[in-house]
Amino acid sequence: MEHPENDPRYNGLTVNPGVAAPPSVNPYMQRRKRKPLPSAAEMVEGILKGDITMLSRAVTLVESLASDHNAIAQEVIEKCLPHSGHSRRIGITGVPGAGKSTSIDSFGLHVLKNGGKLAVLAIDPSSERTRGSILGDKTRMERLALHPSAFIRPSPSAGSLGGVARKTRETIVLCEAAGYNNIFVETVGVGQSETAVHSMVDFFLLIQLAGTGDELQGIKRGIMEMADGIVINKADGDNLERARLAQAQFRSALRLFPKAASGWDPEVLTYSGYFELGIPEIWDMIDRYFAFVDANGYFERRRAEQSRYWMYETINEQLRSSFYNDPEIKRHLAEGEHLVLANRQTSFAAARQVLDFYFNHRQKI
Ligand code: GDP
């Protein structure tokens, strides 16, 4: 019957079979549990095949703070190491607004025109960016993000510079094993992170802007000294003249610097990341640099020196974190700090006590 309420037997209380109320917990949620972690061997196999999902999962493990994740990550890195090293590692720095994202998008597409693969990593220890920022970073490099041969990974989230830098360095190994023969490591040119980037790349590119009057003001001498190439962005429209002027100023400033250990004379070029002017010239410069340091043996020497540096950095960082994260040490530190602040103990005596505890008790446990 179409209208049961018209039936004389209908008393208004009939309960028709209806749709069951949905459970308060979505049953599909349970099925969406994360896939179990692949074994180290499975990850290595995937990475060596260039499987981006496996690579991403391994990088997530490298970035993880959980110690069981770290153990797997270390195993994966170790197995990937023999397959790493075959890439051009290029550090790119510049103050916010210098045009790093725009430029990396254009540089990246230019590099990929000749085939190969490109990984873009970042070091930004001050960043509070969360995992959600992967999207944010992808939109910063719109065209590159859509390129099948590009892998873009934002900075590991905030932590000590040493920790963040080590994770990026380990990620380089994984990317190289996955066949990425070009690695860009981006950093914001305002702090200490340039030194960390410099210690893991072959070529260091400094992006500068013109048109701020005294061009050389505000640039730390140390950063300029590290640069293998200085490129002045936004050389377009009515900014072109100012960019050329800045180029001349940078060139003469560089002449005052001592010769770099590589023997290479840093070049200064102008370009426009946005309008894609002067990009091939930048790549020609980088090509020339690699040919130069390959020929004089500096490339090998620097990579060896960097490996040594990272051995010590890793030891330093792990000693430091195992010390400071130890609950007992934390308690002793808090006590010591309290006494020092209250002027009841000297800093040296307090430090001595914590260290004595560490060396005499903690280490033996
Ligand atoms: P980042 O903070 O260093 O990553 O800089 P962005 O790539 O986000 O660029 C900062 C601003 O500069 C954006 O508004 C860009 O559109 C602009 N920009 C970047 N490159 C150029 C360029 O070559 N010419 C001009 N005129 N503007 C640019």
Side-chain angles (χ1 to χ4, degrees):
M1 191 185 292
E2 206 179 329
H3 292 285
E5 66 273 24
N6 294 337
D7 190 294
R9 285 166 297 168
Y10 181 70
N11 61 13
L13 294 172
T14 322
V15 176
N16 292 315
V19 179
S24 58
V25 175
N26 181 350
Y28 295 104
M29 284 295 282
Q30 285 154 3
R31 278 193 227 149
R32 285 192 55 228
K33 257 192 199 156
R34 275 187 78 83
K35 278 187 240 147
L37 216 53
S39 69
E42 283 167 333
M43 276 198 211
V44 174
E45 196 190 326
I47 291 171
L48 294 182
K49 274 196 240 147
D51 178 340
I52 286 208
T53 316
M54 278 300 184
L55 175 63
S56 302
R57 294 193 80 178
V59 173
T60 305
L61 287 188
V62 165
E63 291 173 356
S64 167
L65 297 174
S67 55
D68 51 337
H69 287 175
N70 268 320
I72 306 178
Q74 286 311 316
E75 199 181 330
V76 174
I77 292 166
E78 214 129 286
K79 296 204 166 108
C80 283
L81 257 173
H83 307 276
S84 70
H86 310 292
S87 78
R88 286 180 169 191
R89 304 171 183 165
I90 297 166
I92 300 179
T93 195
V95 293
K100 289 180 297 303
S101 332
T102 316
S103 305
I104 292 173
D105 206 33
S106 304
F107 291 166
L109 288 182
H110 180 76
V111 182
L112 291 174
K113 263 189 217 152
N114 298 323
K117 301 210 288 183
L118 168 68
V120 181
L121 314 175
I123 294 190
D124 184 2
S126 60
S127 139
E128 289 295 337
R129 289 190 273 176
T130 55
R131 294 191 43 73
S133 73
I134 291 172
L135 254 186
D137 268 50
K138 288 208 163 157
T139 45
R140 289 201 308 137
M141 297 160 201
E142 270 173 12
R143 295 169 302 166
L144 208 52
L146 297 174
H147 200 293
S149 306
F151 176 74
I152 302 178
R153 188 84 188 187
S155 176
S157 51
S160 72
L161 173 60
V164 169
R166 179 177 55 81
K167 290 171 187 171
T168 304
R169 159 96 186 173
E170 292 177 345
T171 302
I172 293 181
V173 171
L174 300 182
C175 290
E176 288 176 347
Y180 289 84
N181 59 338
N182 295 286
I183 313 275
F184 289 179
V185 185
E186 177 196 350
T187 186
V188 179
V190 287
Q192 288 289 304
S193 36
E194 293 74 32
T195 319
V197 174
H198 190 246
S199 65
M200 63 178 85
V201 298
D202 309 310
F203 185 95
F204 195 68
L205 189 70
L206 172 62
I207 298 182
Q208 285 292 335
L209 287 179
T212 46
D214 186 354
E215 312 310 344
L216 301 177
Q217 250 180 22
I219 304 162
K220 291 195 200 82
R221 189 191 149 94
I223 296 182
M224 258 183 83
E225 233 165 335
M226 279 191 270
D228 300 299
I230 297 180
V231 288
I232 298 154
N233 190 18
K234 310 195 188 181
D236 46 52
D238 54 10
N239 206 24
L240 196 56
E241 267 321 299
R242 273 178 301 207
R244 295 220 173 104
L245 186 65
Q247 181 181 28
Q249 287 175 326
F250 275 111
R251 278 188 178 147
S252 53
L254 282 177
R255 267 183 226 124
L256 303 176
F257 284 8
K259 196 150 182 95
S262 57
W264 167 260
D265 290 319
E267 296 183 14
V268 185
L269 302 174
T270 60
Y271 79 107
S272 167
Y274 188 81
F275 294 101
E276 298 189 45
L277 305 168
I279 309 270
E281 287 76 2
I282 296 178
W283 283 108
D284 287 348
M285 163 176 73
I286 293 176
D287 273 342
R288 277 199 306 282
Y289 173 85
F290 276 95
F292 182 82
V293 294
D294 265 342
N296 72 5
Y298 180 75
F299 179 85
E300 291 284 324
R301 275 208 311 282
R302 175 152 166 181
R303 286 242 171 141
E305 183 50 45
Q306 288 177 338
S307 298
R308 192 177 73 109
Y309 171 88
W310 283 101
M311 182 184 100
Y312 284 105
E313 274 299 296
T314 308
I315 293 174
N316 292 347
E317 194 229 325
Q318 306 227 332
L319 279 179
R320 186 184 281 261
S321 76
S322 85
F323 180 82
Y324 284 107
N325 292 329
D326 183 304
E328 283 290 297
I329 296 286
K330 276 188 189 165
R331 200 171 55 73
H332 276 74
L333 279 172
E335 267 168 33
E337 201 179 299
H338 177 74
L339 292 174
V340 169
L341 288 176
N343 234 347
R344 284 164 47 204
Q345 199 173 35
T346 67
S347 352
F348 307 105
R352 191 70 261 150
Q353 269 181 17
V354 181
L355 290 171
D356 277 350
F357 171 77
Y358 180 70
F359 289 121
N360 297 329
H361 303 280
R362 205 65 197 145
Q363 274 196 323
K364 299 203 181 84
I365 296 170

